[in-house]
Amino acid sequence: EGITSMVNPGDILDFQGTIKTKPDLGSLIIDKPVNIISSTHDGRIENFAVVNFTKASSGSNVTGLYTHNTQFYVWNADYIVFDNISNVVEDKQVGWGVGQTSIRENSSYITVKNSYFYTKNNGGSSTLVLAWANYCDIINNTIIGGGDNGNLLYLTTYNVEIPSGALFNSYNRS
């Protein structure tokens, strides 16, 4: 289930303080083009199974969000900007087979800039993955790994079903 009907496309979602997973709240599905900020500079999502930006979230902007031990996906979406986000995974298996932060499944024109990614002892998963992603800009980011983790920045076709003749992992810039 995605964002509530009380949220309209283009609305600002201001994350303040820490949001922790609960039995009835373990995933955050962004399925509308929204602007996510943290006006207090302490917006933090912790221990969620996934934060997933779907095709319907195309056109979103995300600034100043911090996730901890949470899988972070962009799934078949276009024209999303992530600026000054932090995705940290430590001592927890997050991102198995897809990466802890993954832009995938025919996503395009995704910009990730001025952001911080850290992966330590997550069981071997990669940190920032582009899997069938085109025309993406990865600009001025810090990507750090430690202990048992996979690739720091990884362009792949692993775990995606790309139709014959489709463009994949092309025209990306870093």
Side-chain angles (χ1 to χ4, degrees):
E1 188 173 320
I3 296 177
T4 175
S5 62
M6 294 185 299
V7 175
N8 295 307
D11 279 357
I12 295 173
L13 305 179
D14 189 356
F15 286 66
Q16 298 180 12
T18 299
I19 302 169
K20 291 185 179 180
T21 189
K22 299 187 182 312
D24 59 339
L25 179 65
S27 297
L28 179 58
I29 310 300
I30 309 298
D31 61 355
K32 297 177 186 178
V34 293
N35 299 294
I36 297 175
I37 65 168
S38 178
S39 64
T40 55
H41 307 288
D42 65 352
R44 180 179 171 123
I45 297 172
E46 193 167 305
N47 293 317
F48 274 56
V50 68
V51 173
N52 186 1
F53 289 81
T54 69
K55 179 75 170 170
S57 73
S58 294
S60 291
N61 294 287
V62 180
T63 303
L65 187 65
Y66 182 102
T67 66
H68 183 254
N69 286 345
T70 298
Q71 204 159 13
F72 196 90
Y73 279 179
V74 178
W75 193 279
N76 190 26
D78 305 300
Y79 299 100
I80 298 178
V81 175
F82 298 96
D83 187 7
N84 193 32
I85 65 169
S86 296
N87 293 351
V88 174
V89 172
E90 51 192 346
D91 302 319
K92 185 174 179 184
Q93 188 172 338
V94 173
W96 192 252
V98 292
Q100 66 111 315
T101 300
S102 192
I103 302 168
R104 53 192 311 104
E105 299 290 339
N106 200 26
S107 292
S108 61
Y109 300 99
I110 307 300
T111 299
V112 181
K113 61 183 181 176
N114 307 314
S115 295
Y116 177 79
F117 301 90
Y118 177 77
T119 307
K120 177 184 166 200
N121 295 328
N122 75 335
S125 295
S126 295
T127 301
L128 178 56
V129 176
L130 281 75
W132 187 16
N134 300 302
Y135 301 98
C136 296
D137 291 325
I138 310 299
I139 304 166
N140 193 38
N141 299 290
T142 301
I143 306 172
I144 299 172
D148 180 22
N149 62 276
N151 300 296
L152 297 180
L153 177 61
Y154 186 38
L155 276 70
T156 185
T157 58
Y158 182 73
N159 253 348
V160 291
E161 293 185 28
I162 303 170
S164 178
L167 185 69
F168 61 91
N169 292 344
S170 298
Y171 306 104
N172 297 306
R173 300 182 306 172
S174 65

